[in-house]
């Protein structure tokens, strides 16, 4: 039995909220402002894992500056 967890490469908005600990309103504002990259698949807004990681790195750089 494989006990390794599968980590998604792309999040829906609710999953991005959980991953970042932010509200839906904040996530959508970050997307609108371009600070959090996202893609559109049909009517769904999706946030790639790489975009979440890039956002966190940017926040860490801003906190140090």
């Amino acid at each position: 039995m494989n006990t390794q967890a599968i980590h998604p490469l792309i999040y829906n908005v609710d999953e991005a909220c959980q991953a970042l600990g932010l509200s839906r309103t904040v996530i959508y504002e970050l997307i609108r402002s371009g600070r959090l990259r996202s893609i559109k698949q049909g009517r769904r807004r999706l946030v790639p894992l790489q975009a979440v990681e890039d956002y966190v790195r940017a926040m860490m750089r801003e906190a140090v500056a």
Side-chain angles (χ1 to χ4, degrees):
M1 178 184 206
N2 188 353
T3 58
Q4 289 182 322
I6 297 174
H7 299 285
L9 297 177
I10 197 158
Y11 295 115
N12 64 36
V13 171
D14 289 331
E15 291 166 335
C17 290
Q18 289 180 326
L20 291 169
L22 300 171
S23 70
R24 286 175 59 87
T25 302
V26 172
I27 292 292
Y28 278 113
E29 178 54 36
L30 290 171
I31 290 169
R32 272 191 294 278
S33 70
R35 295 182 75 195
L36 180 63
R37 290 179 291 109
S38 69
I39 58 174
K40 192 114 186 224
Q41 178 65 43
R43 295 178 58 186
R44 298 176 68 201
R45 180 63 60 181
L46 301 170
V47 181
L49 173 62
Q50 184 67 49
V52 172
E53 292 171 342
D54 291 346
Y55 174 74
V56 170
R57 277 193 287 279
M59 292 298 96
M60 291 175 69
R61 280 193 303 273
E62 288 177 17
V64 174

